[in-house]
Amino acid sequence: MNRKLINSPVMFALGMFAMMVPSQAFGAFYSYYYVEKLGLGVGLATLARTIYLIWDAVNNPLFGYMSDRTRTRWGRRKPWIYGAIPLFMAAFVIVFAVPKGLAGTGLFVWFLVALLLFEGVATVLWVNYGALFPELFRGDRVRARASAVQQAFQIAAILVASVLTPVLFAAVGFGYMALVFAGVFAVCMLLCVRSVREDEQARAETPLKFVDAFRATLKNKPFWIFNIANSFAQTVNGLLSSIIPFYGKYVLRIAEAQVSILLASVFVSVIPLVAVWYAIVRKLGGVRGWRLSLAVYGLSVIPLWFADSLGTGIAAGICAGFGLAGFLVTPPVVTGHIIDRDLAATGRRREGIYTAVGGFITRSSGLISALAFWVVGLVFGYESGENPGPDPESTFRYLICVVPLCLLALSFLISLFYKHAQSGGTR
């Protein structure tokens, strides 16, 4: 491979594109597919997410610790990623390849097993890919630039998945759509991993013992404050993606085929705005840029309440895209600071366990999202596509605006404590 491509931000970002295409299709449409199309009750869907979170609480930190302890001539992270690629493809297809006629308990069991398989393998991928970022890119400016490139690829993937998923499942069904995206993932992920050269010095370090590793992680207050704040903001990302199909149907009253346009309004606007947030981070620093992004994100969802047509929905989506762009660019820079400080304290690079534990905290947002869906559904009487209740419009107007605004306000307030907990002069 060309030397210029080794550990380049562009090739590394290709991995983000690879994982986000199926992940976005999953996040944006699995609720719509199982609840609206197949008739799975919201309560059962929430129960499945709760069971998954218990599973995730066990496997996420464990995979991170195992990754940090891995020592091979190919590196610490790459063997895990190579092994997970075919498993991720299979699990993603299983999610959307529900046998015809499956309903009730059978549908719930299928959903639960598919969810556990998909999220379990996804954990292996995200932990090891995420652990590479602070190792390959050092320093605020380098990380901000690499993060901006990475998030541009992420948004491109979100756009591709958001626009093509409704088109593909309308044309060939959900199962074949999953096969297409699984193939895209495999090609792009393999190209990314081939370009990565891990730090041999990190491989030579003696890893901490299990108890010592977790003790050092649990005692890191900035790490916990940062990730707890992010978990509420991450919930908003999931809500925007998963609620937009319902929002389009019940609030804007647009055709199902136009949902792609609505999703595109959010994610197309993010691509150029990533450069704006890159400049903001360079000027303000990682922490202040991150905190500002949370405040802006909260304000940016307010216009979604007032939209009542495709045109006003697109305008509101562009506003939300500005806030989303900031939240996508800033967290990796702050994560790098946290891991650098841990290196100074322990003498070891432990990106794997920090990425894993942080991933578990932020991915708990899936449960928060599911609970929000269930509670708001109870209030307004929405159960499923077969029984939407008397006021589905209010259900999804609250879920796409009021709930995100409250969550982001909470996230911003928590972020204010970060400066009091940190030991260094990180801005």
Side-chain angles (χ1 to χ4, degrees):
M1 178 172 284
N2 190 316
R3 288 179 177 271
K4 292 182 179 180
L5 298 180
I6 300 299
N7 293 348
S8 75
V10 171
M11 292 302 294
F12 185 73
L14 192 60
M16 176 64 79
F17 180 88
M19 292 186 293
M20 279 306 303
V21 169
S23 295
Q24 174 64 17
F26 170 82
F29 291 97
Y30 86 89
S31 288
Y32 186 72
Y33 176 52
Y34 279 89
V35 175
E36 186 71 21
K37 292 293 189 180
L38 302 181
L40 181 67
V42 172
L44 289 176
T46 303
L47 176 60
R49 291 294 295 186
T50 303
I51 295 171
Y52 149 71
L53 188 64
I54 296 171
W55 157 241
D56 197 40
V58 175
N59 72 35
N60 216 309
L62 184 61
F63 285 144
Y65 177 74
M66 292 168 63
S67 176
D68 281 340
R69 291 185 65 84
T70 299
R71 299 292 185 271
T72 74
R73 64 189 182 93
W74 299 284
R76 296 186 293 169
R77 322 297 181 186
K78 291 173 66 174
W80 288 94
I81 297 175
Y82 276 126
I85 287 174
L87 297 176
F88 185 80
M89 295 171 67
F92 178 67
V93 172
I94 289 171
V95 169
F96 291 105
V98 179
K100 290 184 179 179
L102 203 61
T105 302
L107 180 61
F108 168 73
V109 171
W110 182 280
F111 174 64
L112 176 61
V113 173
L115 183 65
L116 293 176
L117 288 173
F118 178 76
E119 296 280 17
V121 180
T123 295
V124 176
L125 279 172
W126 285 107
V127 163
N128 286 278
Y129 176 80
L132 288 168
F133 182 89
E135 177 182 319
L136 301 182
F137 308 107
R138 310 285 176 87
D140 266 10
R141 293 200 171 192
V142 173
R143 283 173 177 160
R145 183 171 64 251
S147 177
V149 174
Q150 188 183 52
Q151 301 316 318
F153 273 69
Q154 178 177 355
I155 296 305
I158 291 173
L159 179 60
V160 167
S162 299
V163 172
L164 290 186
T165 300
V167 174
L168 286 174
F169 75 63
V172 298
F174 279 91
Y176 286 106
M177 174 275 295
L179 284 171
V180 171
F181 286 163
V184 171
F185 157 77
V187 172
C188 295
M189 198 72 218
L190 287 169
L191 288 172
C192 167
V193 182
R194 285 193 67 235
S195 74
V196 169
R197 296 295 182 271
E198 296 186 44
D199 184 354
E200 293 186 9
Q201 182 179 351
R203 204 184 316 167
E205 295 166 353
T206 303
L208 290 175
K209 294 181 180 180
F210 186 82
V211 174
D212 293 335
F214 278 93
R215 183 183 294 118
T217 305
L218 294 172
K219 290 170 63 177
N220 191 323
K221 290 183 180 179
F223 167 79
W224 285 98
I225 292 170
F226 170 72
N227 281 287
I228 291 171
N230 272 4
S231 69
F232 292 107
Q234 190 66 41
T235 301
V236 176
N237 290 0
L239 279 172
L240 287 180
S241 296
S242 62
I243 297 302
I244 279 178
F246 299 93
Y247 178 72
K249 178 178 179 177
Y250 292 112
V251 177
L252 304 184
R253 295 181 175 84
I254 60 176
E256 195 173 70
Q258 293 179 313
V259 170
S260 295
I261 302 173
L262 190 60
L263 284 162
S265 70
V266 177
F267 299 116
V268 168
S269 64
V270 170
I271 296 175
L273 293 171
V274 161
V276 175
W277 280 101
Y278 166 59
I280 291 172
V281 172
R282 287 191 63 183
K283 184 173 182 60
L284 297 182
V287 173
R288 287 193 291 177
W290 165 63
R291 191 177 291 124
L292 176 64
S293 75
L294 296 175
V296 171
Y297 199 3
L299 295 174
S300 73
V301 302
I302 293 175
L304 292 166
W305 175 268
F306 300 99
D308 58 3
S309 65
L310 179 60
T312 54
I314 290 172
I318 292 172
C319 291
F322 181 63
L324 175 61
F327 180 68
L328 292 175
V329 170
T330 54
V333 181
V334 184
T335 299
H337 283 304
I338 292 170
I339 291 174
D340 287 347
R341 287 200 299 271
D342 179 75
L343 171 62
T346 66
R348 295 166 178 85
R349 298 205 67 88
R350 302 188 307 123
E351 295 90 345
I353 194 166
Y354 272 103
T355 303
V357 177
F360 165 69
I361 298 169
T362 55
R363 278 214 293 277
S364 65
S365 63
L367 179 59
I368 301 171
S369 177
L371 287 172
F373 198 156
W374 180 57
V375 170
V376 176
L378 282 178
V379 171
F380 293 101
Y382 180 90
E383 293 183 9
S384 69
E386 296 176 353
N387 184 18
D391 193 8
E393 178 181 343
S394 293
T395 301
F396 297 105
R397 203 180 283 278
Y398 272 82
L399 279 170
I400 206 166
C401 178
V402 176
V403 174
L405 179 59
C406 293
L407 290 170
L408 286 162
L410 182 58
S411 183
F412 176 75
L413 290 174
I414 294 171
S415 76
L416 297 177
F417 290 94
Y418 186 93
K419 61 182 180 181
H420 300 301
Q422 64 183 333
S423 59
T426 304
R427 293 200 311 164

